[in-house]
Amino acid sequence: MSFLTANLIAVCARALTGVTGRWAAERPDTRQTIYFANHTSHLDFAVIWSVLPAEVRALTRPVAAKDYWQSGLRRYLAVNVFHAVLVDRVGKTQNGNAEKLRAAEHSLELLLEALGEESSLIIFPEGTRGTGENVATFKSGLYYLWCKRPDVRFVPVYLSNLNRILPKGEVLPVPVISRATFGAPLRAQSHDSKQVFLENAHAALCALRQA
């Protein structure tokens, strides 16, 4: 897709959601980054992607659930517009711990391959959409990404009011002003346990609600 078309899609996404971007720390740039955000709407990744500067947007790929984006217009938009990484939701279709583990390992491999040497990712570590009232406990995938790629920045992004624009179970968006607040990169330590890393990441994201 051409640079001009991608910019047009971004303008439409911003117009539809009324979203504004706020940088509580440094502005996004082309350094490799994993943007992790709260998840309340199918519009979430499009909103984050749309407020990024154009040169950053060109290198940033959202991670999305394959079962929702796998067919028709949705798949066309995911693959050809957003260059999304489509992954299976662990626990959605697998039976037994061994099968879930294989699915999780496969998803991690896909994300690492998508990152490569220059791309960034948008992910939602809660694993599923919430109500927008609270941020659920993070799944462990964020930690394992950090273990494999500690050189990549991990930046929290808090989304406000997206659950009111396209709430769970609704089809048509409702015009509401929304905001994406970008925080400072995590300062994780190499000796951090999975629990410590995920708790710190969760706290960093939740802190942006008041930023």
Side-chain angles (χ1 to χ4, degrees):
M1 173 163 289
S2 71
F3 183 77
L4 180 61
T5 305
N7 279 343
L8 179 61
I9 294 292
V11 169
C12 291
R14 292 195 296 268
L16 177 66
T17 61
V19 67
T20 57
R22 184 175 185 275
W23 328 117
E26 58 198 65
R27 287 180 62 86
D29 58 38
T30 56
R31 285 177 290 176
Q32 279 194 290
T33 303
I34 291 176
Y35 301 99
F36 64 95
N38 54 312
H39 193 22
T40 61
S41 165
H42 285 307
L43 295 175
D44 289 348
F45 78 63
V47 165
I48 296 173
W49 182 84
S50 71
V51 299
L52 291 170
E55 67 276 11
V56 180
R57 200 161 57 233
L59 297 172
T60 303
R61 305 179 64 185
V63 178
K66 183 187 295 183
D67 61 322
Y68 182 80
W69 295 93
Q70 67 181 348
S71 61
L73 179 61
R74 290 176 183 174
R75 179 174 178 82
Y76 175 83
L77 291 173
V79 174
N80 296 287
V81 175
F82 302 111
H83 304 290
V85 185
L86 301 181
V87 298
D88 290 315
R89 282 192 268 200
V90 176
K92 186 77 173 181
T93 58
Q94 300 86 17
N95 296 311
N97 291 333
E99 189 174 351
K100 290 179 181 179
L101 178 60
R102 285 194 297 271
E105 290 174 342
H106 178 63
S107 294
L108 180 61
E109 290 172 0
L110 288 177
L111 299 187
L112 292 172
E113 181 181 351
L115 267 175
E117 298 300 322
E118 63 177 13
S119 294
S120 294
L121 298 177
I122 299 169
I123 69 173
F124 302 96
E126 294 169 278
T128 188
R129 285 175 294 145
T131 62
E133 297 177 1
N134 297 294
V135 180
T137 302
F138 286 176
K139 304 295 186 182
S140 59
L142 188 71
Y143 170 74
Y144 291 117
L145 268 176
W146 173 70
C147 288
K148 294 291 187 179
R149 292 297 305 269
D151 57 306
V152 174
R153 298 185 307 169
F154 284 68
V155 171
V157 184
Y158 189 82
L159 298 172
S160 303
N161 284 341
L162 264 295
N163 60 305
R164 297 173 61 193
I165 293 173
L166 191 63
K168 198 168 185 177
E170 296 296 327
V171 176
L172 297 177
V174 178
V176 176
I177 299 300
S178 59
R179 184 170 70 178
T181 303
F182 292 73
L186 288 182
R187 297 185 180 277
Q189 303 297 320
S190 59
H191 59 267
D192 284 351
S193 66
K194 179 174 70 172
Q195 179 177 349
V196 167
F197 176 86
L198 293 176
E199 287 178 350
N200 289 342
H202 188 276
L205 178 61
C206 291
L208 296 176
R209 180 181 295 182
Q210 307 301 325

